[in-house]
Amino acid sequence: MPDQSITAAIRGRLLSFHRPPAGPGDFDAVRHHEDGLLLVGADGRILEVGDWADLRGRVPEGVAVDDHGGKLVLPGFIDTHIHFPQTQVIASYGAQLLDWLEKYTFIEEQRFADPVHAAANAAFFMDELLRNGTTTAVVYGSVHPQSVDALFTEAESRGAGLIAGKVMMDRHAPAALTDTAESGYRDGKDLIGRWHGKGRQRYAVTPRFAITSTEAQLEAAGALLREHPGVHMQTHLSENTDEIAEVRRLFPGARDYTDVYDRFGLLGPTSLFGHCIHLSEAEMGRLSESGSVAVFCPTSNLFIGSGLFDLDALSMPQRPVRTALATDVGGGTSYSMLRTAAEAYKVLQLRRQNLPALSALHWMTRGNAEALGMADEIGSLEPGRWADLVVLDPAATPAMRHRMKAVEGNLEEELFIQVTLGDDRSVAATYLRGRNSHLRQSGA
Ligand code: GUN
Ligand code: ZN
């Protein structure tokens, strides 16, 4: 029986979703308490959510209320695609995908063979996620299993849950950065044994992309997935046109890029495909049929010049593809899911498509939780979910404060301003399991 005693009480403007908003103004999808109180149990899960006036009497003596006044309290943000060994690759100049990998990324990732370097970077990485209000992330390690050990160790010590995996790549990369089909399989299996289901951690089988894995290695990735139901799979798909041409050359027998992964059993409801920009109708059909997830990484797609994600095409009602939103640091240029959503809006504008504020905030929270198959654990402010929270300051900067004055009383407009102008400066506090794990210092 979990401990039902109340150990934390958080007051603020609570905002969460119980289903995807149908469009702008669909506040029926929202659970909103303008002056709300959230009570957290000793196990770090939400016990009760409601109006301050109704619940205030439930706060036990000795438990101080964290009062966030006029700030918004949302479920912590979820980043569904980010590279842990690229914190010193972010903002590398002047290259598209394949050159960018060779010139910057494959150099930097070699440093993660050193467990001391990996541990120091894991601490920085977790600090940065929490400073940005991200409480769950799906993470690529380097090829070295010790990079993933360092990352999981750091996350578990802070009470955060990650989904992460060691990159598998056995060709077309420097020798110091390649494994083999056999060692990739063995190291993956060992990591799953050490970490999958330990505390809040989960494993993702992570073949980097089709160019850097032989058929034997993709086969091994498929075997890991089959042998360990419940683990995720993550890789890159259809990001850049030169990449797609190279995949065609390397896998002449495959129908298309998606089919390369399909042949090895890598599609399915726990599979996350980064980018998915240049897909054919047949590829979207297979992603839909298999329940796979297409992950939109707008700041990366703009920065590396990859292309414009086509949300409407992926969302066709007759064959909807599940979608998620992510930063893709270090191809992406921000750790902030707010900034990421703002860039998603701009990419979709260029496609003559829309992203209302409610949909953006839903995507970053409950939507991404659904994409991970974890909506019963994270992504909404409901009893039983982990009390992972982000507290947003609507007046975090002079420009935001000034703009907000013009929309007083209009929550939707306020939220759109928060999404469009917000970033790490908006994050007043972040909670993991009801415990404050980041508190913004003024001027930080
Ligand atoms: N494709 C293969 N590896 C990578 C990577 O590290 N970043 C991005 N954006 N695309 C990739
Ligand atoms: Zn990526």
Side-chain angles (χ1 to χ4, degrees):
M1 219 9 221
D3 188 343
Q4 294 293 306
S5 60
I6 294 164
T7 56
I10 296 143
R11 181 182 183 185
R13 301 169 64 205
L14 308 183
L15 189 96
S16 168
F17 297 85
H18 58 85
R19 64 160 167 79
D26 184 11
F27 277 92
D28 288 348
V30 178
R31 199 177 193 325
H32 173 225
H33 298 274
E34 187 56 26
D35 184 5
L37 183 65
L38 196 141
L39 300 172
V40 184
D43 59 357
R45 292 182 191 266
I46 297 169
L47 277 178
E48 291 183 64
V49 184
D51 285 329
W52 164 255
D54 297 336
L55 287 184
R56 59 186 298 182
R58 299 267 292 113
V59 181
E61 218 170 291
V63 172
V65 176
D66 277 3
D67 191 343
H68 293 289
K71 298 190 177 79
L72 291 160
V73 179
L74 276 77
F77 298 143
I78 300 167
D79 186 348
T80 54
H81 182 132
I82 184 166
H83 296 259
F84 155 57
Q86 295 180 13
T87 55
Q88 291 184 309
V89 173
I90 187 171
S92 289
Y93 174 76
Q96 294 220 341
L97 178 63
L98 300 180
D99 293 335
W100 175 86
L101 285 171
E102 215 162 287
K103 202 166 154 189
Y104 302 114
T105 309
F106 288 170
I107 311 300
E108 179 61 24
E109 292 196 4
Q110 295 183 41
R111 299 171 72 198
F112 287 74
D114 173 6
V116 176
H117 180 79
N121 276 271
F124 172 82
F125 183 80
M126 287 306 303
D127 281 346
E128 197 57 23
L129 291 186
L130 296 169
R131 245 169 43 70
N132 281 280
T134 296
T135 49
T136 300
V138 188
V139 189
Y140 287 66
S142 70
V143 75
H144 318 97
Q146 56 270 35
S147 74
V148 178
D149 282 322
L151 185 63
F152 276 140
T153 301
E154 188 67 35
E156 189 60 22
S157 79
R158 297 185 190 219
L162 297 182
I163 301 174
K166 129 193 167 64
V167 151
M168 301 168 81
M169 47 182 183
D170 64 347
R171 65 170 169 175
H172 298 150
L177 212 56
T178 49
D179 54 7
T180 64
E182 295 73 27
S183 74
Y185 172 85
R186 204 174 48 242
D187 288 346
K189 207 169 187 61
D190 289 349
L191 281 165
I192 291 167
R194 275 204 293 288
W195 289 108
H196 186 67
K198 174 168 180 194
R200 296 189 66 179
Q201 312 314 315
R202 299 181 183 212
Y203 196 75
V205 175
T206 309
R208 182 174 211 120
F209 67 156
I211 293 179
T212 47
S213 286
T214 60
E215 298 206 355
Q217 181 159 73
L218 294 174
E219 182 76 50
L224 281 175
L225 265 190
R226 272 195 311 280
E227 290 162 15
H228 303 280
V231 303
H232 281 80
M233 196 291 302
Q234 60 180 345
T235 190
H236 297 88
L237 170 63
S238 199
E239 177 176 7
N240 165 289
T241 50
D242 291 344
E243 168 208 21
I244 295 165
E246 182 63 5
V247 170
R248 249 185 239 291
R249 193 182 69 77
L250 291 170
F251 297 91
R255 256 195 327 263
D256 47 46
Y257 196 165
T258 302
D259 189 48
V260 172
Y261 297 132
D262 205 1
R263 285 165 177 233
F264 298 101
L266 299 181
L267 271 56
T270 59
S271 294
L272 306 165
F273 293 95
H275 307 298
C276 294
I277 297 170
H278 310 281
L279 297 173
S280 67
E281 184 53 43
E283 290 180 283
M284 290 189 268
R286 267 306 289 151
L287 290 176
S288 173
E289 203 172 45
S290 60
S292 302
V293 177
V295 184
F296 181 15
C297 309
T299 74
S300 171
N301 298 162
L302 294 170
F303 183 73
I304 324 187
S306 303
L308 304 176
F309 188 84
D310 193 344
L311 181 61
D312 280 0
L314 285 157
S315 309
M316 294 283 208
Q318 68 273 22
R319 51 129 194 76
V321 178
R322 298 165 69 213
T323 56
L325 184 67
T327 65
D328 191 31
V329 164
T333 50
S334 174
Y335 293 84
S336 166
M337 287 301 293
L338 289 169
R339 180 67 69 85
T340 299
E343 298 304 294
Y345 177 90
K346 296 173 197 171
V347 167
L348 296 174
Q349 278 279 46
L350 288 167
R351 286 245 184 229
R352 298 275 180 271
Q353 297 173 23
N354 294 315
L355 183 58
L358 293 181
S359 304
L361 290 168
H362 173 265
W363 219 355
M364 296 147 70
T365 56
R366 185 181 168 279
N368 276 350
E370 284 255 292
L372 301 179
M374 293 173 69
D376 55 347
E377 292 276 309
I378 54 173
S380 50
L381 307 181
E382 296 290 336
R385 311 292 195 275
W386 292 111
D388 294 347
L389 313 170
V390 58
V391 181
L392 298 176
D393 182 356
T397 68
M400 288 174 79
R401 193 177 316 124
H402 184 67
R403 178 68 177 93
M404 288 291 180
K405 282 187 195 146
V407 298
E408 250 163 48
N410 186 328
L411 182 58
E412 181 144 36
E413 285 192 84
E414 181 191 327
L415 295 175
F416 187 66
I417 295 168
Q418 179 65 255
V419 170
T420 305
L421 301 183
D423 55 28
D424 55 328
R425 294 169 296 177
S426 315
V427 177
T430 307
Y431 289 79
L432 288 170
R433 307 175 61 159
R435 286 220 290 266
N436 204 314
S437 59
H438 163 69
L439 194 59
R440 186 172 142 78
Q441 311 294 313
S442 57

